[in-house]
Amino acid sequence: MARARLFKNASVLAGPELRYVRDADIAVSNDTFEYVGPSGSSPRPAPGRDADDADAAPSTHDCTGLLVIPGLVNCHTHVGDSVGKDARLEGTVDHKIHPVFGLKSKILSETPPGVLVDFMANSCSSMVRSGTTTFVDFREGGVEGVELLRRALSRVPIRCVIMGRTNHYSDEDGIRRNAPLSVSGEDELGDVMRSCDGLGVSGANENSDAMLERYSRCDALRAIHASETAESVSRSEQMTGVSETVRALGLRPHFLVHMTHASKGDLAAVAGSPGVRGIVVCPRANAALAEGMPDITSMRRLSNRRLALGTDNVMVNTPDMFREMDYTWKAAMGMDRARVDPAEILRMATVNAGMILGRKIGQVAPGMLADCVFLDKHAIDLEPVHNPYAAVVHRASASSIRAVMIGGRVVHGSLD
């Protein structure tokens, strides 16, 4: 039996261009958008349904006064460190979050698994309540780490793209010798790739070129942290004489994360790598770690790649995409002293993210998964809505949300 729902009289930011339609109807069949168009247009029954069958009649919701936007996509998180919120504000980035010797790894190793699961589930709930319908988590801890996250996800209705990794890293000597992945590392890699959705590598400075090349042969979504800090950029040059970003491209990644200290040469190298779909930036986390602001304008101009947004470590930052969009928009304009279209920022959190991940998310359009957020246009911080893109990017918040829908089901709030 097909499950059909019709949302009438809504305003919507539709399709890949986020085109504003003031009065629209949205039809959902099972977990997919079937129709998005002007109000009063009757959507046809989905293929395989009999128009005379009572089951073909959709449940109807009057969405007058609501603005429907695509579900927000948080393209970079580490929810495993949710238990360590603001545990250490001083010290370098490596002292806080280095995957081998940072405070984060110590906290994770000393926290009971059940406690980690509880706090990861809390962060997932927080994301849903603030409009995130999909998040991409770079999961530490090998297969065991992936299983802990799956336990958390069993409690919260949210989509997650799990980017796993092995527990094998190269030290400086291994990088200089270009040591390959060990036999035990090969065994663990196979287990990890069978348990998750992709490979999320910590960075070039923790992996030899031979290891990166080996990882590049994994037939899955691949991503890597690159040029996040001035220290990591300098360390790569000192160890190998090669840019950290250029070495990271040895993974043949589908996307790179951060690029806060990427040079023009780095961005040109990214532009010359046809397999790279985009760059994910995490401006608030970079600011919290005193590492500056990614040069979004240069990334768009020099790398010619899509940009998406992530919130990074819960240890240093809240996983709230409304706050991420607001900060990114204003900081980018402050740095460049030029106006930035807020629609571009919203695309980073929706359309671009779906395209980088290669998934049918991030758009309210026929054939896409029915993930969206219903915002109350009469919410105290939004009304009156003169520019819907600006309203979403720098005025909307969790308090503006009437409901969140994932896969055609309302998982937070209510439309009744």
Side-chain angles (χ1 to χ4, degrees):
M1 180 185 298
R3 176 167 52 88
R5 306 184 76 173
L6 181 61
F7 304 90
K8 298 180 67 67
N9 307 316
S11 296
V12 62
L13 299 182
E17 300 304 320
L18 298 178
R19 180 172 57 90
Y20 180 60
V21 183
R22 184 180 298 276
D23 296 298
D25 289 348
I26 301 168
V28 172
S29 179
N30 291 326
D31 64 350
T32 303
F33 290 117
E34 179 183 341
Y35 173 88
V36 179
S39 291
S41 300
S42 300
R44 293 175 298 176
R49 294 218 315 256
D50 184 347
D52 296 326
D53 190 334
D55 291 332
S59 61
T60 302
H61 303 267
D62 185 359
C63 294
T64 301
L66 300 182
L67 172 63
V68 180
I69 67 171
L72 302 177
V73 182
N74 188 338
C75 265
H76 186 63
T77 67
H78 293 272
V79 298
D81 56 22
S82 298
V83 71
K85 297 182 184 76
D86 302 325
R88 184 170 187 170
L89 299 179
E90 75 284 354
T92 67
V93 174
D94 277 350
H95 287 153
K96 297 183 184 76
I97 60 174
H98 192 279
V100 179
F101 57 77
L103 175 66
K104 169 181 170 174
S105 61
K106 184 174 186 294
I107 290 174
L108 294 181
S109 66
E110 294 179 353
T111 303
V115 175
L116 288 178
V117 170
D118 289 343
F119 279 92
M120 285 193 285
N122 288 346
S123 289
C124 292
S125 295
S126 174
M127 283 190 274
V128 171
R129 293 177 185 185
S130 56
T132 293
T133 55
T134 299
F135 72 104
V136 182
D137 197 69
F138 279 51
R139 189 83 286 275
E140 302 92 343
V143 175
E144 293 78 9
V146 172
E147 290 307 310
L148 290 178
L149 178 53
R150 291 201 184 280
R151 284 171 56 187
L153 291 169
S154 70
R155 305 179 187 178
V156 184
I158 189 171
R159 298 189 194 277
C160 180
V161 179
I162 303 177
M163 305 293 284
R165 70 173 70 158
T166 72
N167 290 307
H168 292 258
Y169 301 96
S170 294
D171 58 16
E172 184 170 341
D173 178 65
I175 290 175
R176 292 184 186 279
R177 291 187 295 104
N178 198 24
L181 186 64
S182 65
V183 174
S184 61
E186 285 282 357
D187 291 340
E188 186 181 4
L189 178 62
D191 292 338
V192 167
M193 296 312 298
R194 283 187 290 272
S195 69
C196 60
D197 304 300
L199 187 66
V201 178
S202 59
N205 288 340
E206 293 82 46
N207 295 275
S208 67
D209 289 343
M211 290 174 65
L212 292 171
E213 190 281 329
R214 172 63 188 90
Y215 292 148
S216 75
R217 290 185 269 121
C218 292
D219 186 19
L221 188 67
R222 299 181 300 276
I224 187 169
H225 302 75
S227 299
E228 178 179 6
T229 70
E231 181 181 0
S232 68
V233 169
S234 175
R235 185 161 179 257
S236 179
E237 293 283 356
Q238 291 173 358
M239 284 193 301
T240 68
V242 179
S243 156
E244 182 186 2
T245 294
V246 171
R247 289 197 61 236
L249 290 172
L251 176 69
R252 293 194 296 126
H254 295 100
F255 64 95
L256 300 100
V257 181
H258 293 305
M259 299 288 282
T260 314
H261 292 271
S263 67
K264 292 182 178 180
D266 291 333
L267 296 177
V270 171
S273 300
V276 177
R277 299 172 185 168
I279 298 170
V280 175
V281 294
C282 308
R284 280 192 306 142
N286 291 158
L289 295 168
E291 282 298 332
M293 175 77 180
D295 189 348
I296 291 172
T297 300
S298 292
M299 287 181 187
R300 293 182 60 206
R301 184 176 68 248
L302 298 175
S303 71
N304 193 30
R305 291 292 182 267
R306 295 185 182 92
L307 297 182
L309 286 175
T311 59
D312 204 5
N313 299 81
V314 180
M315 181 177 176
V316 300
N317 199 30
T318 60
D320 186 329
M321 288 296 286
F322 284 123
R323 293 177 68 176
E324 199 69 41
M325 287 190 290
D326 182 32
Y327 181 87
T328 300
W329 187 45
K330 292 168 182 173
M333 290 189 292
M335 284 183 61
D336 295 337
R337 299 184 182 183
R339 299 299 300 176
V340 175
D341 186 347
E344 284 298 310
I345 303 298
L346 184 55
R347 286 189 190 96
M348 291 170 66
T350 54
V351 177
N352 290 2
M355 291 181 175
I356 288 173
L357 296 174
R359 300 204 170 197
K360 292 184 176 182
I361 58 176
Q363 298 180 39
V364 180
M368 305 298 285
L369 290 172
D371 300 351
C372 62
V373 180
F374 297 83
L375 297 174
D376 184 353
K377 291 194 293 184
H378 301 299
I380 192 168
D381 290 325
L382 297 188
E383 190 174 37
V385 177
H386 296 298
N387 181 319
Y389 308 102
V392 173
V393 167
H394 86 131
R395 296 192 186 277
S397 65
S399 66
S400 312
I401 293 175
R402 178 75 64 82
V404 176
M405 186 167 73
I406 300 179
R409 295 183 182 277
V410 173
V411 299
H412 172 65
S414 174
L415 293 173
D416 296 329

